[in-house]
Amino acid sequence: MRRAFLAVALAVGRPAAADGGVPERVLPTAEPDAVYTAYADFARERGRSGAALVPVCRQLVEKLNLCFGYEVGGTRRLVTESELLAWDTTPAALEAVARRTTEGAAAAGIYQEMRVEGMAGRYWVGGNGDGRVAAALLHPEDLAAIAGAEPVVGVPERDTLLFWVPGDPDFDKVLAVGVRRLHDASEHPVSPLVYRWDGERWTVWGEAR
C-alpha cells in the first residue's frame, strides 16, 4: 500500500503524451515538506544534477504538498523539472492533465467506510500505491458526495487518505488522534494535520497534540 518516492526512478522518459509532451496518465501524489531536500539528496547520490534534483510540487496548505508521478514500463516515476524541460511543458499544464486523469477516481470505490467501536460516526479511508487517493486533493467535491456533507480530511502518510464529517467532538478527537498516530508511526509520513476545503482552497482544520 505504501510506495516511497525515494524508490522512484529518475530517468527521463517519453511515453505517449497528451498536452504537449505531458504523459496521458499523470497522477497526483501527496508529499511532506521534506520531499524537496530528501529527493534532491537521493538524486544527487545517483549522479543527477540541476533540474533532475527538483520535484515538481506545489504547497497546497501547511505541511501538505501536491507532487506528480507517472509510469513508464511499469515503473512509477516522480516528475522533476528535468521532465518539464524534456516535455516542453509547465507545472500548470501538468496539473491540468492530472486533474483530468483523476476525474471520478473517488467514485471508483477506493474508499472503505469504517466505524469506531462504540461510536455512531462513520469515516472513510483509502490507501493504495497508484496515487488515486491524492486525487481528492484535486477533486474535494468527490469526498463530499461520498460523505453526504463537507468532510475534513487527513493525509497522514503517502497513499493513505481518510475523511469524515465533523460535528461530534468525541468522534472528531478520536479521528484526529488517529491521523496523528498514523503519521507518527509511518515510514513515509506526510502530515499530522487535518484539513478542510473551504470552497476555494485547502485550510487547516485541526491537529491532535
Side-chain angles (χ1 to χ4, degrees):
M1 183 174 73
R2 300 165 177 166
R3 188 175 301 181
F5 68 84
L6 295 183
V8 177
L10 290 168
V12 174
R14 289 179 177 273
D19 292 18
V22 180
E24 292 180 350
R25 186 155 179 78
V26 172
L27 291 170
T29 179
E31 302 288 351
D33 291 340
V35 64
Y36 301 97
T37 55
Y39 194 86
D41 289 345
F42 174 74
R44 195 176 289 110
E45 289 175 358
R46 285 151 181 77
R48 304 292 172 175
S49 61
L53 302 178
V54 186
V56 178
C57 307
R58 71 177 177 93
Q59 188 172 49
L60 293 178
V61 63
E62 182 182 351
K63 297 185 180 181
L64 181 60
N65 297 271
L66 179 71
C67 304
F68 303 93
Y70 69 105
E71 289 192 5
V72 175
T75 299
R76 187 175 172 191
R77 299 173 175 172
L78 193 67
V79 178
T80 69
E81 290 189 357
S82 181
E83 277 82 6
L84 291 189
L85 293 171
W87 300 336
D88 189 26
T89 191
T90 65
L94 185 71
E95 185 169 329
V97 172
R99 189 177 297 275
R100 289 200 304 273
T101 296
T102 56
E103 285 181 353
I110 64 173
Y111 295 103
Q112 182 178 359
E113 183 179 322
M114 308 286 286
R115 292 186 181 271
V116 176
E117 186 176 355
M119 306 190 85
R122 301 176 298 164
Y123 69 98
W124 291 261
V125 62
N128 53 43
D130 67 3
R132 286 188 299 162
V133 293
L137 302 176
L138 293 174
H139 302 284
E141 67 281 357
D142 289 350
L143 301 186
I146 293 171
E150 199 68 45
V152 293
V153 176
V155 191
E157 59 183 354
R158 187 174 306 109
D159 295 323
T160 298
L161 184 147
L162 59 89
F163 60 97
W164 73 96
V165 177
D168 179 332
D170 292 335
F171 189 72
D172 292 345
K173 181 178 180 179
V174 167
L175 269 293
V177 168
V179 170
R180 180 79 200 207
R181 289 179 176 173
L182 280 172
H183 170 272
D184 292 349
S186 178
E187 294 180 4
H188 311 297
V190 174
S191 174
L193 304 179
V194 178
Y195 303 100
R196 193 167 202 168
W197 179 254
D198 70 0
E200 296 183 358
R201 63 184 65 83
W202 289 103
T203 60
V204 175
W205 179 79
E207 176 183 12
R209 298 186 181 277

